[in-house]
Amino acid sequence: MPEEDSIVALRGRRFPGGEYTVQHWENFLLTECTGAEPLPGGMVHPAALFHLPIAGAGTSIAEMFDLGQAESDVSILIESYDWELHTPLIEDVPYRVTGEIIEAERLSDDRGRFYDRIQFLFNVSDRGGTPVARTRITWRYTRNTL
């Protein structure tokens, strides 16, 4: 189990940031896999908010696992994905993305088993800085304490 201090020290860590553009083909595949019809006017299916903010902020799921020192690929429990969509995402439009870790703490459940709760915040804006979306991802990194 990682030292608690190394987890708590993640608070405030910022990702490099960057841009992300959802291409038409990508939107088509996202929409198709959800069983939905294409949205009008090149609107991007909201499912893009699973990956757009992470990739756009210059990180990856693998890095997020590593930062929390995940003990295995199955040691992550999803607590929540909270999405705020201020305006529709549009295909072929570049969006700026920033990201950071806003919470990192060690907790225990009602059985006394430890886990680390890490919350990531990603902000998506247009090139002029107008907010487009915000995602807050909260994961539990379960710990094998044997």
Side-chain angles (χ1 to χ4, degrees), residues 25-78:
W25 65 264
E26 179 182 6
N27 189 36
F28 174 82
L29 291 176
L30 282 170
T31 303
E32 182 77 15
C33 78
T34 65
E37 293 295 319
L39 298 169
M43 282 194 294
V44 173
H45 193 282
L49 290 176
F50 274 117
H51 71 280
L52 179 158
I54 293 168
T59 189
S60 66
I61 297 287
E63 181 182 11
M64 292 163 67
F65 271 50
D66 289 346
L67 286 169
Q69 300 176 55
E71 294 178 357
S72 75
D73 290 347
V74 296
S75 67
I76 303 292
L77 299 177
I78 297 169

Side-chain angles (χ1 to χ4, degrees), residues 50-112:
F50 274 117
H51 71 280
L52 179 158
I54 293 168
T59 189
S60 66
I61 297 287
E63 181 182 11
M64 292 163 67
F65 271 50
D66 289 346
L67 286 169
Q69 300 176 55
E71 294 178 357
S72 75
D73 290 347
V74 296
S75 67
I76 303 292
L77 299 177
I78 297 169
E79 184 173 310
S80 65
Y81 276 80
D82 179 33
W83 295 346
E84 298 173 38
L85 194 56
H86 307 296
T87 61
L89 295 163
I90 305 296
E91 295 175 352
D92 302 317
V93 172
Y95 293 101
R96 291 186 177 158
V97 186
T98 61
E100 66 182 304
I101 296 174
I102 59 170
E103 190 59 56
E105 60 188 335
R106 167 110 357 118
L107 300 167
S108 63
D109 63 18
D110 55 357
R111 292 182 174 160

